Amino acid sequence: MSGADVIGPDDRSPLRVEGLSLLTSRDILLDRLSFAVEPGEVLALSGAAGAGKTLLLRALSGLAPKGVTVLGDIHIQGRRILVTQDGALDPLRTIGAQFTELLAHQSGMDERTALRCAAEALERFQVPAAARRLALHPHELGEAMRWRAALALAMAAEPALLLADAPAAALDPTQRVRLLSDLAAWTREAGTALLLAGRPQPDPIQADPVPSGLADRRLILAQGRLEAPEEEPTPAPPPVEPAPSGPPILSVRDLRVAFPLGRSWRGAERWLTVVDGLSIALAEGETLALLGETGSGKSVLARAILRLVPPVGGQVSWLGTDLAAAPPEAMRRARGDLQILFPDPLAAFDPLMTIGAQFAETLESLRPSRSTAQSAAQSTADRAARLAEALEEVGLPAAVLDLHPGSLRPAEAARAGLARALLPEPRLLVCDEPAATLDGSERADFLALLQAIRRRRRLALLYATQDAAEGLGIARRALVLLLGRIVESADSVVLATGARHPYSRALIAAAGLDRPALHGDPPSPLRPPTGCPLRLRCPLAHDGCAQVPPTLDPVAPGHRVACHVAQDSAQEDGKAP
Amino acid sequence: MHGPAGTESRTDPHWRDGPWQKAGQRLTAHRPAAAGLTVLAALMLAVAAGLVAGGGPVGAALAAGHQSLSFTLLAGLGGAALGLLWAAAAVALGERAERAMMAPAAALTGLPLALALPLVGGLLGPQRGLAPMVMVAALIAAPAVAVIARDELRALLRREFLSAAQAAGIPNGRRLRRHILPNAVLPLAAAAWTALPRALMAESLASLLGLGLPAGVTGWGTAIGAAARAGDAVALAGPALLLALTLWALHGVGDGMRLAFATAFSTTAGGRR
């Protein structure tokens, strides 16, 4: 695991790379990279998918794949450890055994010392009852706990250089950012150089890891070369739009969505409640963000509004029509007004039909032409023109109409999905993480396009996302969802600066790559805790939180929170003159 | 986005190909599948030529192949049809019926069903006809097809483009015709193909024991059994080799179809998510 060239004694950089190139017989994969990482420094390496981040880390740890020629110098002082993308642990052995083996091998520790050392390492990541977890196998731990164990294992070996390849990328932002902050704090303290690869999630549209203190420096890998990050001009704040007035066009009352889980052994029906009595109202041209992580119910709520998932209770009414009970013809008319963007736009196209055929099908279904037989040719020509126009609006050429979805890139598919949603000229666009498959500048471009189109067409927008910065930037008002309930609702501006609920604060902190204050892992939706659903993770929780679930009550005009602590402090503020 | 689609240089020369061409390319890119297809085509031709030319141990082996392959085709198609119907009915009839119908299919795939064919052959006695044997072989092949086909159909019904079609207000009947059926063709073909090697295997085993094809019809199994009893190594080699080659080719093509079609049209970009 340790491999190093002996170089000058005064050069103490754990990693110094000079003129590193990786070549195959056909391509130059990485072109003359030079950089160094100092002890205790955290270097974030970002770049779009396929830029070569993983390849670089593998080359640095001496694991360049076959057929790749490595040119240039890699100087490494001391021990280096690579944590791969999957955070692989040996599935057949307990965590403790893996610690003991590594520590015995690296530092000749006996078993008892090694286990004590392992428990201490896990405690650095706030793992409760760390010593007991050492007896478990990796599959007995959750995803988050497995990552804590993998990173603790790497750090326990006291490496001089830790290479982490997109660590914990699949975790929710509040867990991931906290884990990375803890790791960065530990490497700084131990004097370990840390190279963090992978796009920092949430995406670096606004969240640059450097100012937040997560990383000291950032390098961007693009087209095989390293680029220093350019100073991005801070985006001009969006023009403040007047609050839309008028009666709500969409109103959702006490919507409940649950899925049957079969019967328990006593014969009682078991249900997984995903959306639990939610009410929202949306006026013409209004924008509303739904913020929440995995299991918050934002995505199911978005689909239940369009009746893609059948609700078990409550009411969704569009312009006064109850959609849950609407007959097929009325539902089809409503679908022309309500359109949706899916999280994976490519998967939302039928792979066997051309884009044009699918556009035509949508148009024919939602805005059927009422032409007579004589003008059939005329209307066909109109239609073709209309499809091409729709593509032009999202910046795609008309040639895309003849392609099958398999020939599109993710960014093109996202735009084509937007064009399809706009075809029937909807009045409300429901977005379910529409940019989830896009990276970096492609993502920023797409969101800017979505904003521009929304303003031009005065669309109402319902935008579900787990990235608080993105949601608050797009929508005028925001709801924070936790386990199918609203925990906070306020204007985006208010929420960005003065969120009251600990969960909202954690989401917003994670979006800015600051360490969120929530500890532990989210509770299972099958067995939510009594009282407040957040209380097991909440730093402010007191005994009262376990007794009664908090209700959504106003703490200020237009600002409602479901949190006992926040409500109490709001009352005290109100009393104090 | 850098410039319009189609004008950029894309590294893959086939990026514009339609989904069916791409599926074909994926199938032939799988080496055992390509080799298996070639072998099967060559065998068909050789069997046809052998029937015309005839004579000698090679001619006899090819003539036996004619019987074996015809039986396999009949029983395999029957088994595939039965399995697909089974799966389609289970998925169409709702969750409870699906569980009730698929549980026996899953249980049957775990049993050594191939032994049922010689058993039936023995019970029917030497005067057995060809038709009941074909039917039993089809029944033997059906449960495995049903299990795979059900999984494929379930996966298909979860695909996002069906939600998109629903959001576009497309009625259920049209959704079935335009979106579900076309997308089901290739995965179900891959599932159906598994009936062929299964039927051939069961038939050869039963015939080897003299309990398969009726008297007077000589398949590869019959020929191998006869040669083994007579201790004739030369007569044994031909049918044994051809049988092994055919089974290998059938499995190779089946593997290739599963890899190329079962995930055939998942157009999701291979990102880490």
Side-chain angles (χ1 to χ4, degrees):
Chain A
M1 255 187 159
S2 64
D5 299 36
V6 178
I7 45 173
D10 49 335
D11 186 353
R12 289 183 54 254
S13 321
L15 172 68
R16 200 155 53 78
V17 175
E18 275 165 22
L20 175 71
S21 299
L22 295 187
L23 317 167
T24 63
S25 50
R26 288 197 359 232
D27 298 302
I28 301 176
L29 302 174
L30 295 178
D31 189 14
R32 284 165 293 162
L33 311 184
S34 298
F35 61 96
V37 193
E38 302 302 319
E41 190 183 30
V42 181
L43 178 65
L45 179 71
S46 47
K53 303 174 297 262
T54 299
L55 187 68
L56 174 61
L57 290 202
R58 294 190 74 91
L60 290 181
S61 48
L63 296 170
K66 256 188 204 163
V68 172
T69 318
V70 182
L71 298 178
D73 295 327
I74 304 176
H75 300 289
I76 292 176
Q77 283 223 318
R79 192 175 288 159
R80 68 189 157 187
I81 288 189
L82 170 69
V83 180
T84 52
Q85 248 170 49
D86 49 359
L89 293 167
D90 183 348
L92 296 180
R93 303 173 58 214
T94 61
I95 304 293
Q98 300 187 42
F99 269 99
T100 343
E101 188 199 10
L102 180 73
L103 293 178
H105 179 72
Q106 299 269 13
S107 352
M109 257 181 221
D110 63 57
E111 195 179 338
R112 272 192 43 211
T113 337
L115 284 179
R116 208 179 55 234
C117 196
E120 275 165 16
L122 284 179
E123 269 159 15
R124 297 291 300 238
F125 290 115
Q126 285 101 32
V127 174
R132 246 185 350 181
R133 311 228 175 212
L134 290 175
L136 299 178
H137 286 86
H139 71 267
E140 293 169 287
L141 303 172
E143 170 91 10
M145 201 55 82
R146 215 160 40 232
W147 269 106
R148 289 180 195 123
L151 292 173
L153 182 63
M155 281 305 288
E158 297 177 351
L161 169 66
L162 182 63
L163 306 161
D165 190 1
L171 295 186
D172 279 337
T174 51
Q175 283 178 299
R176 178 171 196 262
V177 173
R178 184 168 168 115
L179 181 62
L180 292 187
S181 307
D182 288 347
L183 177 68
W186 190 357
T187 54
R188 282 198 184 104
E189 190 188 309
T192 301
L194 173 63
L195 187 56
L196 266 182
R199 55 182 174 123
Q201 239 173 9
D203 233 39
I205 300 173
Q206 301 176 345
D208 188 339
V210 177
S212 69
L214 183 61
D216 302 312
R217 224 149 39 92
R218 181 158 80 123
L219 290 175
I220 299 177
L221 204 54
Q223 273 109 43
R225 286 164 175 270
L226 277 185
E227 291 170 2
E230 55 207 66
E231 284 301 313
E232 285 168 30
T234 40
V240 178
E241 293 170 42
S245 52
I249 49 174
L250 173 80
S251 82
V252 175
R253 266 194 301 279
D254 286 328
L255 188 69
R256 256 176 55 82
V257 182
F259 300 107
L261 292 172
R263 290 173 184 280
S264 71
W265 57 277
R266 271 185 282 188
E269 286 257 18
R270 290 167 66 232
W271 291 83
L272 172 64
T273 303
V274 184
V275 173
D276 196 1
L278 267 179
S279 302
I280 55 179
L282 209 62
E284 178 101 52
E286 186 166 7
T287 52
L288 176 65
L290 303 173
L291 307 178
E293 299 183 318
T294 314
S296 63
K298 59 186 189 311
S299 182
V300 172
L301 171 65
R303 280 156 204 246
I305 288 174
L306 280 90
R307 222 170 84 183
L308 300 179
V309 175
V312 293
Q315 215 181 20
V316 177
S317 64
W318 171 254
L319 297 175
T321 324
D322 181 10
L323 291 187
E329 193 43 46
M331 189 65 210
R332 204 149 60 108
R333 263 201 309 278
R335 286 197 190 286
D337 289 337
L338 298 162
Q339 280 292 304
I340 180 168
L341 296 185
F342 290 95
D344 185 348
L346 214 44
F349 281 110
D350 185 337
L352 295 184
M353 290 167 78
T354 60
I355 300 292
Q358 301 188 50
F359 278 20
E361 192 179 39
T362 304
L363 201 54
E364 183 56 44
S365 161
L366 295 179
R367 295 278 183 253
S369 56
R370 288 187 192 77
S371 58
T372 52
Q374 289 88 350
S375 62
Q378 168 87 34
S379 85
T380 317
D382 277 358
R383 241 143 227 239
R386 208 161 147 196
L387 300 190
E389 244 170 58
L391 280 179
E392 200 188 328
E393 187 173 6
V394 297
L396 289 177
V400 168
L401 288 176
D402 297 328
L403 294 179
H404 284 92
S407 309
L408 296 183
R409 296 186 171 154
E412 292 162 355
R415 283 167 190 243
L418 178 59
R420 173 169 66 177
L422 294 176
L423 266 180
E425 286 166 11
R427 296 165 69 181
L428 167 66
L429 197 56
V430 176
C431 305
D432 183 8
E433 303 231 28
T437 52
L438 305 181
D439 282 335
S441 63
E442 285 178 347
R443 188 180 176 115
D445 287 352
F446 178 77
L447 293 179
L449 175 73
L450 181 62
Q451 277 285 45
I453 287 176
R454 184 194 69 72
R455 279 203 201 98
R456 192 160 61 240
R457 295 191 168 216
R458 287 199 40 79
L459 284 173
L461 195 72
L462 198 61
Y463 193 93
T465 178
Q466 63 170 356
D467 182 349
E470 189 180 300
L472 295 182
I474 278 185
R476 200 189 59 80
R477 215 153 56 82
L479 302 179
V480 183
L481 301 183
L482 177 65
L483 284 182
R485 290 166 180 267
I486 301 175
V487 294
E488 185 157 15
S489 124
D491 284 357
S492 295
V493 187
V494 175
L495 210 54
T497 50
R500 306 258 188 142
H501 198 282
Y503 184 66
S504 321
R505 284 190 202 159
L507 269 183
I508 291 163
L513 295 180
D514 287 326
R515 185 171 186 271
L518 297 183
H519 49 77
D521 299 332
S524 156
L526 291 173
R527 276 182 295 117
T530 58
C532 174
L534 191 69
R535 72 179 165 88
L536 298 177
R537 296 182 72 193
C538 182
L540 310 176
H542 53 71
D543 293 345
C545 295
Q547 316 272 324
V548 198
T551 51
L552 192 63
D553 289 327
V555 289
H559 190 170
R560 294 187 301 159
V561 182
C563 172
H564 293 310
V565 180
Q567 284 163 4
D568 292 348
S569 68
Q571 271 177 10
E572 277 162 29
D573 290 351
K575 276 177 206 153
Chain B
M1 287 297 291
H2 310 281
T7 56
E8 303 161 63
S9 62
R10 304 206 185 198
T11 46
D12 177 13
H14 297 295
W15 71 271
R16 274 191 86 100
D17 287 354
W20 299 100
Q21 284 103 305
K22 279 187 180 157
Q25 286 158 14
R26 275 197 304 270
L27 178 63
T28 44
H30 186 69
R31 271 198 204 157
L37 281 173
T38 321
V39 165
L40 286 179
L43 259 174
M44 296 282 195
L45 283 177
V47 165
L51 283 181
V52 177
V58 176
L62 289 175
H66 174 68
Q67 310 294 350
S68 272
L69 289 179
S70 310
F71 183 93
T72 302
L73 201 63
L74 278 178
L77 286 181
L82 217 59
L84 294 184
L85 271 179
W86 193 337
V91 170
L93 287 179
E95 209 167 316
R96 189 170 293 201
E98 183 177 339
R99 244 175 291 151
M101 288 176 75
M102 291 320 291
L108 282 175
T109 45
L111 295 177
L113 282 182
L115 295 180
L117 194 61
L119 185 69
V120 172
L123 289 176
L124 289 178
Q127 302 309 316
R128 60 188 175 262
L130 198 56
M133 297 306 282
V134 170
M135 258 155 54
V136 174
L139 281 175
I140 286 172
V145 175
V147 169
I148 305 174
R150 196 276 304 253
D151 291 350
E152 290 292 348
L153 285 177
R154 275 275 148 235
L156 174 62
L157 290 179
R158 274 198 301 268
R159 302 270 295 272
E160 190 100 289
F161 65 82
L162 295 178
S163 302
Q166 199 184 348
I170 294 167
N172 283 340
R174 193 180 156 80
R175 215 151 58 104
L176 181 71
R177 276 197 317 280
R178 295 288 307 264
H179 297 286
I180 299 180
L181 288 183
N183 279 290
V185 168
L186 288 185
L188 291 188
W193 185 271
T194 57
L196 291 174
R198 227 170 262 273
L200 177 59
M201 194 69 204
E203 179 270 317
S204 303
L205 174 68
S207 299
L208 180 76
L209 300 172
L211 298 171
L213 296 176
V217 184
T218 310
W220 279 326
T222 328
I224 294 173
R229 279 189 288 276
D232 184 352
V234 180
L236 184 106
L241 272 178
L242 284 178
L243 177 61
L245 198 62
T246 312
L247 276 177
W248 175 81
L250 285 173
H251 279 296
V253 175
D255 266 4
M257 286 174 85
R258 188 171 48 80
L259 291 175
F261 302 157
T263 51
F265 305 121
S266 61
T267 43
T268 46
R272 67 177 85 102
R273 289 210 50 213

